[in-house]
Amino acid sequence: MLPPEPALTRDLAEWLPRQRWFGGKDGPIDEVSIGTATELRTGDPALHHLVLDVAQNGVTDHYQLLLGVRRHLPDRLLHVEIGGTSGGPDGREAHLYDAAHDPDLTRILLDGLAAEASVGPLRFRHTAGAGIRTDLTSLPITAEQSNTSLLFGDAYICKLFRRLSTGVNLDLEVNLALTRGGCTHVPAVLGWIELEPGRGARAGGNGEPVTLALLSDYLHTGADGWSLAIASVRDWFAHTPPAGDDEWAELDASAAGGDFAAEAERLGAATAEVHRALAEAFGVTTLPAAKVHAMAARMNAELTGTCRTVPGLAPHAKALTGAFLDLAAQAEPLPVQRVHGDYHLGQVLRTESGWTLLDFEGEPARTQHERRALAHPLRDVAGMLRSFEYAARFLIAKSGTVPPEAGGRLETRAHAWAARNRAAFCRGYAAGGGADPAAHSVLIRAFEFEKAIYEVRYEAQNRPAWLPVPLTSLAHLAT
């Protein structure tokens, strides 16, 4: 039994802004109300599934919460306590908490998925032939921000979508289509949880169920691409050339023991295979030349606006404008399709069988409509090229010694590492059947500069100490 709604929503309004996954930290909460409440377990502990309607600045967002109720809260759950209530299992005082962190209760999710249960407005679904174990204990991944993922043993990973989108979540839609198509470069989808159409403030807008959670194979042998790349950069920075070598030794990033180029090339090939699978699953259409021209104009407008707010970008404005004008001048119809949308080294895993791509939700800051927009596959390629630039300079930025100019020794080495791995990735992408970046230099350059402008704007607003990272890379790329 839930406590009275005014008391519960008051506690939630105080608790939500402290959560890493809450997207409204930039302003006060006007109101919290309960969109749906579904009892999944009675007794002590009890479990309720809630959809919270959170109003801020005239907009209402919707968040998912697994609400646990216990008479006595163990020490291991004190950090996720929400508040107290007199509505405990026996009417006495009880504790409310975020039950995503409680393995005694999260196993209920596996039970529902295995049985394809329906509980109130909740629907548990699994893919054909998926035999889901129900005896596994969950452990939350604490590093995530916009969602919460639970590891069930070494078999499954269950992503709980905290901030809910209208209709079917892109991550489920894309991964399920790729799984059914036999793509081996994504984790196999095993099941999902959804809210039936017509329930909750957002649920019925387009007649589709709202995706609440996604269960996939857990790739327990995987290492993320970002960590592998950073290890390679660290090895390269620590490499001491033989005595007497000339300055070429500062440019030959293959000399260090942890060379990443072979993996970058394999990643490029895997990316091309996934793009091909996406085209087969969702189709390809054509963007008219007039819209390509308008896209170039929009890129240039974003450059102008960013230069006004971040003066450090101004020295590169001429080169960037030139790239966008080149795209406009050569505007021709472009094939567009579903792509990853937020592609970088943190979105890929290297496993025993090769590279795997993760998280097809698109950029979190963009609207659902923007994330569903079709794009040329080279936009993903440009995102990964920017990620190589960031990986090359991460250790410099972390140490607080980012050089203001491109002439420092570490920057010279960073540029050499990025150039080597960018070339390897593009080589692998072309060999894997993707559009050859070298044959589409105008398009890939425009996409990469567009992404760099976004990075400059983001760093200026959120991490000013990191602003030299994109600006220093532009000193090389905009020449």
Side-chain angles (χ1 to χ4, degrees), residues 90-108:
D90 55 5
R92 291 186 289 174
E93 188 71 20
H95 299 271
L96 305 177
Y97 62 99
D98 182 359
H101 297 257
D102 187 349
D104 294 338
L105 293 177
T106 52
R107 191 176 288 119
I108 293 170

Side-chain angles (χ1 to χ4, degrees), residues 7 16 36 55 71 116 134 193 196 203 261-262 266 284 309 311-312 329 345 385-386 393 401 412 424 432 448 469:
L16 282 168
T36 68
R71 279 285 312 281
E116 288 206 307
T134 60
I193 307 171
E196 68 179 14
R266 284 188 278 269
V284 178
T309 57
L345 286 163
L385 296 182
R386 294 302 309 158
R393 295 168 177 84
T401 59
T412 298
E448 187 171 359
V469 173

Side-chain angles (χ1 to χ4, degrees), residues 75-124:
D75 289 347
R76 61 184 172 82
L77 295 172
L78 289 176
H79 69 292
V80 290
E81 184 174 13
I82 296 171
T85 174
S86 59
D90 55 5
R92 291 186 289 174
E93 188 71 20
H95 299 271
L96 305 177
Y97 62 99
D98 182 359
H101 297 257
D102 187 349
D104 294 338
L105 293 177
T106 52
R107 191 176 288 119
I108 293 170
L109 303 180
L110 294 184
D111 292 336
L113 289 165
E116 288 206 307
S118 295
V119 185
L122 304 186
R123 302 289 179 262
F124 295 79

Side-chain angles (χ1 to χ4, degrees), residues 22-23 64 103 173 201 205 229 251 276 279 307 364 369 395 453 458 469:
F22 182 65
Q64 173 178 202
E173 181 181 7
L251 302 176
R276 187 164 58 252
C307 282
H369 175 74
L395 295 174
I453 293 167
Y458 177 88
V469 173

Side-chain angles (χ1 to χ4, degrees), residues 188-403:
V189 174
L190 302 173
W192 64 95
I193 307 171
E194 61 191 25
L195 187 71
E196 68 179 14
R199 301 298 293 264
R202 267 200 182 182
N206 57 3
E208 293 183 339
V210 172
T211 307
L212 301 173
L214 170 62
L215 187 75
S216 305
D217 276 337
Y218 175 52
L219 306 174
H220 62 277
T221 62
D224 70 273
W226 177 259
S227 299
L228 294 174
I230 295 304
S232 172
V233 174
R234 183 179 289 109
D235 187 74
W236 168 229
F237 281 2
H239 174 67
T240 302
D245 275 14
D246 58 21
E247 66 179 72
W248 171 251
E250 298 294 334
L251 302 176
D252 184 11
S254 67
D259 187 21
F260 189 69
E263 289 297 346
E265 187 168 350
R266 284 188 278 269
L267 177 58
T271 304
E273 290 182 38
V274 172
H275 280 158
R276 187 164 58 252
L278 286 169
E280 292 172 357
F282 295 101
V284 178
T285 188
T286 299
L287 191 69
K291 290 193 174 181
V292 177
H293 194 281
M295 179 175 68
R298 176 182 53 75
M299 291 175 175
N300 201 49
E302 290 179 359
L303 167 63
T304 301
T306 305
C307 282
R308 282 197 291 265
T309 57
V310 189
L313 183 60
H316 309 296
K318 183 176 180 180
L320 273 61
T321 296
F324 301 147
L325 291 175
D326 287 345
L327 177 61
Q330 299 182 27
E332 58 184 23
L334 280 181
V336 291
Q337 62 169 79
R338 285 287 183 89
V339 296
H340 185 282
D342 187 25
Y343 200 43
H344 54 77
L345 286 163
Q347 303 281 42
V348 294
L349 286 180
R350 181 64 168 91
T351 71
E352 294 173 342
S353 59
W355 283 101
T356 298
L357 280 61
L358 309 172
D359 297 332
F360 285 82
E361 290 185 81
E363 292 179 334
R366 299 195 182 275
T367 66
Q368 184 81 341
H369 175 74
E370 290 173 325
R371 287 189 246 168
R372 286 183 176 276
L374 305 182
H376 193 283
L378 287 180
R379 186 180 290 278
D380 277 350
V381 173
M384 186 57 71
L385 296 182
R386 294 302 309 158
S387 193
F388 283 123
E389 297 289 339
Y390 261 70
R393 295 168 177 84
F394 170 77
L395 295 174
I396 308 174
K398 188 177 180 181
S399 69
T401 59
V402 179

